[in-house]
């Protein structure tokens, strides 16, 4: 029975990648890619794979699961990223995540924050490929969703060439077929998490060599990608790209993902329709006792470079967090710009 489940999982993993021209994903980002953010991003792209924030295995097992794991059906395809280093805990958390309906379970082996170092997981796991292999094997055995790994090319003074190869070989032997590689080392001593996203040099060529030497693996490029053009160019020899802060800070870029990465011939989602959907979504959040700013904080990057964008951002930044802020705050913000085709632009005087 377990062998049958393993075969089914491998098939799902293969289809997840091979059915697409290229996979495009929005990176998991702590305190950013919550369920409200993911719902918003889904209005801009039908096809991109969306990720949760990293959730520790212990929190999944012992915490408020609906708060930590709950998501809207509209978010699919959506992946759960787990943090941890104990195979038993990760297996249980993966099973719980799969029961919630996540399309993929991802293990974080790349986060360099002091919090994950204290817990001996995240980027620390780059030094323990066999432990990661045990974790992956346990996660796969516990449920049927594909298990993937997000990692760095190495940590601290490790040799990036040897380290990444050894890591990928050990973990792929445990059944992981998809690696999302942040093309930087993580420096666990001396650099903050922010500096770890900026200071270690990017090495896209190293990620490309991993794919060239192991063509049976699906390798997704992450790190420093700022535009769809750059993501497509640097991942041309790979299986896809993952973009983080650029997509969050300029969400409008997601409107081009479906056609560019998936060859989707349907009319692209429109900014106009996305804004209308978010009004309805915010109405639902408010009815359930939520705060308007919990949603609108993810929408501040809209309309970059367009006249009226500054007034839109200022209104939402100042008024949405106020107690009792209602849907009129969002509609007033949108009213600062008017429609020109599928693009919102300033109202005529």
């Amino acid at each position: 029975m377990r062998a049958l489940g393993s075969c089914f999982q491998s098939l799902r993993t293969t289809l997840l990648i091979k059915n697409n021209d290229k996979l495009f994903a929005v990176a998991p980002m702590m305190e950013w890619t919550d369920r409200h953010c993911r719902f918003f991003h889904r209005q801009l792209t039908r096809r991109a794979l969306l990720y949760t924030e990293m959730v520790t295995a212990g929190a999944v097992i012992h915490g408020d699961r609906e708060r930590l794991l709950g998501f809207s059906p509209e978010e699919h395809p959506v992946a759960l990223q787990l943090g941890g280093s104990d195979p038993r805990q990760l297996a249980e958390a993966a099973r719980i995540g799969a029961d919630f309906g996540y399309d993929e379970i991802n293990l974080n082996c790349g986060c360099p924050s002091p919090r994950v170092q204290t817990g001996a997981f995240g980027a620390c796991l780059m030094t323990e490929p066999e432990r990661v292999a045990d974790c992956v094997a346990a996660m796969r055995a516990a449920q049927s969703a594909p298990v993937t790994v997000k990692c760095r090319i190495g940590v601290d003074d490790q040799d990036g060439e040897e380290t990444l190869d050894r890591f990928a070989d050990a973990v792929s032997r445990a059944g992981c077929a998809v690696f999302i590689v942040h093309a930087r080392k993580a420096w666990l001593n001396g650099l903050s998490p922010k500096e770890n996203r900026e200071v270690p040099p990017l090495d896209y060529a190293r990620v490309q060599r991993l794919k060239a030497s192991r063509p049976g693996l699906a390798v997704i490029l992450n790190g420093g990608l700022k535009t769809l053009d750059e993501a497509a160019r640097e991942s041309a020899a790979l299986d896809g790209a993952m973009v983080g802060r650029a997509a969050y800070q300029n969400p409008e870029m997601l409107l081009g993902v479906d056609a560019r990465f998936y060859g989707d011939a349907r009319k692209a989602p429109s900014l106009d329709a996305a804004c209308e959907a978010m009004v309805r979504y915010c109405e639902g959040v408010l009815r359930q006792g939520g705060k308007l700013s919990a949603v609108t904080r993810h929408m501040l990057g809209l309309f970059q470079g367009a006249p009226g964008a500054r007034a839109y951002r200022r209104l939402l930044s100042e008024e949405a967090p106020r107690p009792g802020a209602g849907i009129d705050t969002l509609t007033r913000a949108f009213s600062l710009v008017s429609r020109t085709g599928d693009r919102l632009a300033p109202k005529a005087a």
Side-chain angles (χ1 to χ4, degrees), residues 136-163:
V136 165
M139 293 164 72
R140 294 183 73 242
Q143 49 80 50
S144 61
V147 174
T148 66
V149 166
K150 188 173 188 294
C151 64
R152 295 275 184 139
I153 60 175
V155 298
D156 295 333
D157 58 357
Q158 284 183 327
D159 177 84
E161 204 71 30
E162 186 273 338
T163 296

Side-chain angles (χ1 to χ4, degrees), residues 307-336:
R310 183 176 298 178
Y312 161 84
R313 288 193 295 272
R314 183 170 60 247
L315 190 152
L316 284 185
S317 297
E318 294 175 357
E319 298 194 23
R322 291 176 180 172
I327 199 64
D328 63 302
T329 301
L330 180 56
T331 56
R332 281 192 293 121
F334 286 150
S335 77
L336 297 173

Side-chain angles (χ1 to χ4, degrees), residues 129-195:
E130 295 301 334
R131 176 187 284 270
V132 177
D134 291 342
C135 291
V136 165
M139 293 164 72
R140 294 183 73 242
Q143 49 80 50
S144 61
V147 174
T148 66
V149 166
K150 188 173 188 294
C151 64
R152 295 275 184 139
I153 60 175
V155 298
D156 295 333
D157 58 357
Q158 284 183 327
D159 177 84
E161 204 71 30
E162 186 273 338
T163 296
L164 185 58
D165 284 348
R166 183 162 55 91
F167 181 87
D169 288 344
V171 178
S172 63
R173 284 195 296 269
C176 178
V178 182
F179 290 80
I180 302 106
V181 186
H182 186 140
R184 286 187 174 98
K185 277 189 173 184
W187 286 92
L188 304 180
N189 298 301
L191 292 182
S192 69
K194 181 177 185 296
E195 290 169 329

Side-chain angles (χ1 to χ4, degrees), residues 4 45 72 75 85 92 97-98 162 175 179 182 201 203 207 214 216 222 226 247 261 311 319 330 335:
L4 179 61
T45 167
S72 304
E75 294 174 40
S85 59
E92 177 64 8
E162 186 273 338
F179 290 80
H182 186 140
D203 190 352
V207 183
R214 290 154 178 80
N222 174 236
K226 295 181 173 60
F261 282 82
E319 298 194 23
L330 180 56
S335 77

